[in-house]
Amino acid sequence: MFQKILIANRGEIACRIIETAHKLGVATVAVYSDADVASKHVAMADEAVHIGGSAPRDSYLRGDMIIAAAQATGAQAIHPGYGFLSENPDFVDAVDAAGLVFIGPSAQAIRAMGLKDAAKRLMMAAGVPVVPGYLGENQDSAHLAAEALKITYPVLIKAVAGGGGKGMRLVANSGDFAAALASAQGEAATAFGNDAVLIEKYVDKPRHIEVQVFGDGVDAVHLFERDCSLQRRHQKVIEEAPAPGMTPQMRTAMGDAAVNAARAIGYKGAGTIEFIVDASDGLRVDRFWFMEMNTRLQVEHPVTEAITGVDLVEWQLRVASGEHLPLRQQDLTIKGHAFEARLYAEDVLAGFLPATGRLDHLVFPCDARADSGVRAGDTISPWYDPMIAKIITHGPSRAVALSKLSRALVQTQVAGSVTNLAFLVALTRHQGFGQGDVDTGLIGRDLDALIETPIATAPIKALAALEVAKLPNDALAGFFQWNPLRQTILLRHQSAVCDAMLELLGPNAARVTMDGQTLVADRKNGLWHIDGAIGAKAMWTGASVTVFAPECAFSFFPMDPLAKDAVVAGDGRATLSPMPGMVKAVFVVAGQTVTAGDRLCVLEAMKMEHTLTATRDGVVAEVLASADEQVEAGVALILLEGSE
Ligand code: ADP
Ligand code: ADP
Ligand code: MG
């Protein structure tokens, strides 16, 4: 075993790897960017080396700096985590050349699986079923259109260099093909510097079922399957193991195919073979096809760990240090069922827009595994993936594991950023999902119901108002001295402003009037009861007050009563930045006439571009933003002249 390793990553996966290394007595070196100086992974590691600026290309993608850090600290091996350099064969070559060990597969195995078309050809040769489609070199658009017709619609266009759902387009009929092809090629050229595509038959009622494999370069085993069908725009949201409805025949067929795939490339380390399954008629051994191989540890590996009892990072370290596979296929068994939910800082109602913020309050459930790279007080910055944590539960049956997940999510408290927590809770209560009836279209079909935000009820608003007023516990004098007997409290919640009037009835009693109704609040043992019912926990979290109701955390921003009219009037004069980010381009100048829908500027945040458009017709009064400027959320970027 190694004495010391370097982890070339950040966030939850860096923390996850450090935990296992320490469990095995292996010392750890973290690397970090400017944005991560005070981050959790740096605090956990034995040593940490600063490698550059906040942008990934200036730090976590700087293979040269990372290798130099390993050499300077005497680390013998480098664990890449996932993302960043984990699937970059040139980095693996450089690590080898520096006399260090790359904890993962060979550069050759990564190259073999790097492009989707080449990987599919290799798998066909190894006897693994692949999705029917066109894999040819001829990229002429008329030729591709003819191939699509042969495959029969619907078809999926995929960038051969694709990943993360980019460069992929579903095409329903031949009339839409040309436009879809052009947009897939454009996106692929920008994201991967390679506009080549392949075409696949779009599988009916698709389920994404993947198999965890592990090789030591000599032999390979599989650690069963994970079902990742709960997806939004081809991105995984909740994963589980084993797959619901899996039969022993299907498991054997998929497991054998996956192990064949790993053996075909002499695979060493952890890998995942992703299959697409046609579930229109249950799970059938002749209806699963290879999609791609991910030559690294996968985000959702904890569900496999939960059902097998194997620590996959431990296996990675053992195999990389020269040991053989720790267990044989017949020694591996499935125990119970496990789920993982990905908790993100994102604004679900704004189309799942990535969000940022300082997590003033962060509490994870006590009876679930929470893999996280942040602590209370840490910031989700605009530089990296906005994942807050992965919540993992395990139980003897699927039903038990799922209700544990639901409960664990309800117990999770995050304040300081919007999150997808309420959406995840709604998913765990979705009837079809509960019955194991999953496919990749489930979220899309039921999106409206799943994102329906629970309404902030009058008692919830009252609890927020009481917290804002901060009636000191048992200190009547304090209240009289510092607060008027009647107080007007203005709270902004999402786009609405709530106007609450608070009247003191005693040290532990108050009356709250708003929206035309009056509620009575009394405090017993430090807890507010509203109209006799015990209220949810409310607390100050940075500049806002959060009420942690069981179905959702509601945030309220107290406003200055004098500023009310300006904010409420909202005549559409100012275009505000919806999130922190970088202004990429400004399209208007002062004095210019614009009509509703015209592009005003582009904001880039979290690797996505957001075009901000005029909400009404008007004349530009002032341009406050300039290209390449970093802006905070809520800052005015463009002002139109006053309403006509
Ligand atoms: P997985 O396939 O392991 O479930 P996802 O599909 O959710 O992972 O993630 C899409 C890709 O984005 C993966 O290749 C993953 O390695 C990568 N990724 C995830 N987080 C980050 C990050 N913070 N920085 C760069 N890449 C990342
Ligand atoms: P990425 O590299 O972006 O992960 P994949 O090829 O793994 O791309 O596909 C991502 C997702 O797209 C899959 O998980 C699945 O939901 C969907 N998908 C891919 N291929 C097909 C197909 N042939 N038919 C139906 N859905 C598919
Ligand atoms: Mg994939």
Side-chain angles (χ1 to χ4, degrees):
M1 182 50 68
F2 308 112
Q3 269 97 54
K4 192 192 270 193
I5 64 169
L6 179 142
I7 296 98
N9 214 301
R10 62 176 304 283
E12 69 81 21
I13 191 60
C15 298
R16 160 76 192 86
I17 295 160
I18 292 170
E19 256 172 40
T20 288
H22 291 176
K23 182 183 89 180
L24 300 175
V26 176
T28 53
V29 182
V31 290
Y32 63 95
S33 67
D34 288 346
D36 281 338
V37 172
S39 67
K40 180 177 168 189
H41 79 282
V42 169
M44 281 176 73
D46 299 307
E47 288 169 74
V49 181
H50 177 247
I51 51 167
S54 301
R57 65 172 180 279
D58 297 329
S59 48
Y60 299 108
L61 292 173
R62 287 286 304 270
D64 54 341
M65 295 293 289
I66 290 169
I67 290 170
Q71 287 171 324
T73 52
Q76 299 148 298
I78 297 182
H79 195 309
Y82 54 72
F84 299 130
L85 294 167
S86 63
E87 293 180 280
N88 182 326
D90 297 335
F91 177 64
V92 180
D93 282 336
V95 172
D96 289 345
L100 301 166
V101 176
F102 179 77
I103 303 175
S106 65
Q108 189 199 348
I110 296 176
R111 281 196 185 99
M113 290 296 178
L115 294 179
K116 289 188 203 286
D117 55 343
K120 282 178 77 175
R121 274 189 222 107
L122 187 71
M123 289 300 106
M124 283 162 82
V128 176
V130 306
V131 192
Y134 174 74
L135 297 174
E137 302 268 299
N138 188 343
Q139 294 284 314
D140 173 63
S141 51
H143 180 76
L144 291 172
E147 291 292 338
L149 214 51
K150 264 196 249 168
I151 296 166
T152 74
Y153 283 91
V155 300
L156 201 57
I157 303 173
K158 283 186 187 177
V160 301
K166 285 214 182 95
M168 192 148 79
R169 294 288 181 282
L170 173 59
V171 195
N173 53 60
S174 59
D176 298 340
F177 187 81
L181 177 65
S183 89
Q185 286 170 327
E187 192 169 290
T190 318
F192 314 110
N194 177 350
D195 69 358
V197 297
L198 58 81
I199 305 174
E200 273 180 8
K201 175 74 194 155
Y202 186 73
V203 170
D204 215 25
K205 196 166 189 219
R207 275 177 69 175
H208 174 122
I209 302 182
E210 56 185 36
V211 178
Q212 174 73 54
V213 292
F214 216 104
D216 61 9
V218 178
D219 200 8
V221 293
H222 71 83
L223 291 95
F224 314 105
E225 77 281 357
R226 293 184 287 258
D227 193 311
C228 312
S229 300
L230 236 49
Q231 303 185 348
R232 201 189 63 82
R233 296 207 187 122
H234 310 300
Q235 296 292 307
K236 299 160 185 170
V237 178
I238 293 184
E239 302 98 340
E240 61 181 306
M246 183 54 94
T247 61
Q249 297 87 321
M250 182 81 168
R251 177 170 293 133
T252 304
M254 294 186 81
D256 288 351
V259 170
N260 279 345
R263 287 206 180 110
I265 51 170
Y267 198 72
K268 188 170 173 180
T272 294
I273 315 285
E274 294 189 334
F275 294 104
I276 192 84
V277 178
D278 173 348
S280 56
D281 189 19
L283 297 179
R284 291 181 35 175
V285 293
D286 57 349
R287 293 207 184 160
F288 72 90
W289 300 277
F290 171 87
M291 267 194 309
E292 64 166 347
M293 177 169 190
N294 293 326
T295 51
R296 55 175 160 88
L297 194 67
Q298 200 97 338
V299 174
E300 58 275 20
H301 74 277
V303 292
T304 299
E305 297 187 321
I307 60 157
T308 58
V310 167
D311 177 336
L312 286 167
V313 175
E314 175 183 336
W315 277 33
Q316 287 188 300
L317 297 189
R318 288 172 63 177
V319 165
S321 68
E323 285 185 41
H324 290 302
L325 280 174
L327 291 175
R328 292 165 305 171
Q329 190 68 58
Q330 60 266 38
D331 302 326
L332 288 157
T333 50
I334 297 180
K335 192 167 155 282
H337 203 101
F339 284 95
E340 171 185 281
R342 300 186 184 197
L343 174 61
Y344 283 102
E346 62 184 14
D347 191 343
V348 171
L349 296 179
F352 295 83
L353 202 61
T356 57
R358 185 176 175 277
L359 304 177
D360 301 295
H361 177 76
L362 184 63
V363 173
F364 292 123
C366 22
D367 357 314
R369 170 172 166 184
D371 281 17
S372 174
V374 285
R375 304 151 296 188
D378 285 348
T379 297
I380 300 289
S381 79
W383 297 106
Y384 315 107
D385 180 286
M387 185 191 274
I388 298 171
K390 306 184 303 200
I391 308 292
I392 303 113
T393 57
H394 180 240
S397 67
R398 184 173 190 271
V400 171
L402 184 56
S403 53
K404 284 173 85 172
L405 180 66
S406 200
R407 209 172 145 257
L409 291 169
V410 165
Q411 288 174 353
T412 303
Q413 298 178 346
V414 188
S417 168
V418 288
T419 72
N420 64 343
L421 201 48
F423 170 66
L424 294 174
V425 171
L427 267 175
T428 62
R429 295 175 180 170
H430 183 279
Q431 200 185 358
F433 180 45
Q435 290 162 352
D437 185 16
V438 293
D439 71 275
T440 61
L442 183 147
I443 290 180
R445 278 193 304 273
D446 293 340
L447 192 65
D448 290 347
L450 289 166
I451 64 174
E452 206 170 85
T453 2
I455 309 278
T457 57
I460 286 172
K461 292 179 191 167
L463 288 164
L466 287 162
E467 183 64 19
V468 170
K470 261 256 174 276
L471 307 196
N473 240 333
D474 303 320
L476 190 55
F479 188 82
F480 282 117
Q481 229 170 318
W482 304 111
N483 299 285
L485 271 167
R486 282 164 148 248
Q487 239 180 304
T488 296
I489 293 184
L490 283 185
L491 299 169
R492 183 177 65 74
H493 173 58
Q494 293 168 353
S495 54
V497 176
C498 158
D499 187 338
M501 214 253 292
L502 208 79
E503 293 166 275
L504 179 80
L505 305 176
N508 289 307
R511 197 158 42 212
V512 188
T513 306
M514 72 190 132
D515 305 338
Q517 57 176 308
T518 299
L519 301 114
V520 175
D522 23 6
R523 185 158 52 186
K524 295 176 197 144
N525 303 323
L527 286 177
W528 284 106
H529 290 56
I530 307 292
D531 285 347
I534 187 157
K537 178 187 171 75
M539 64 188 289
W540 275 95
T541 46
S544 63
V545 161
T546 303
V547 181
F548 294 100
E551 66 284 11
C552 175
F554 296 95
S555 289
F556 296 88
F557 291 84
M559 290 166 37
D560 179 353
L562 300 176
K564 182 186 173 189
D565 292 339
V567 175
V568 180
D571 61 355
R573 277 196 71 210
T575 299
L576 309 180
S577 68
M579 58 200 296
M582 173 84 86
V583 179
K584 295 298 285 185
V586 179
F587 303 117
V588 291
V589 291
Q592 189 174 333
T593 305
V594 292
T595 41
D598 280 357
R599 293 195 307 166
L600 300 178
C601 61
V602 170
L603 187 70
E604 186 193 74
M606 252 81 68
K607 302 178 214 135
M608 292 216 297
E609 289 195 349
H610 309 280
T611 303
L612 305 181
T613 55
T615 53
R616 63 164 169 85
D617 299 351
V619 174
V620 176
E622 214 176 329
V623 176
L624 303 166
S626 52
D628 290 334
E629 185 189 351
Q630 188 79 30
V631 293
E632 290 300 319
V635 169
L637 303 176
I638 310 279
L639 290 182
L640 298 186
E641 285 178 4
S643 44
E644 301 85 308

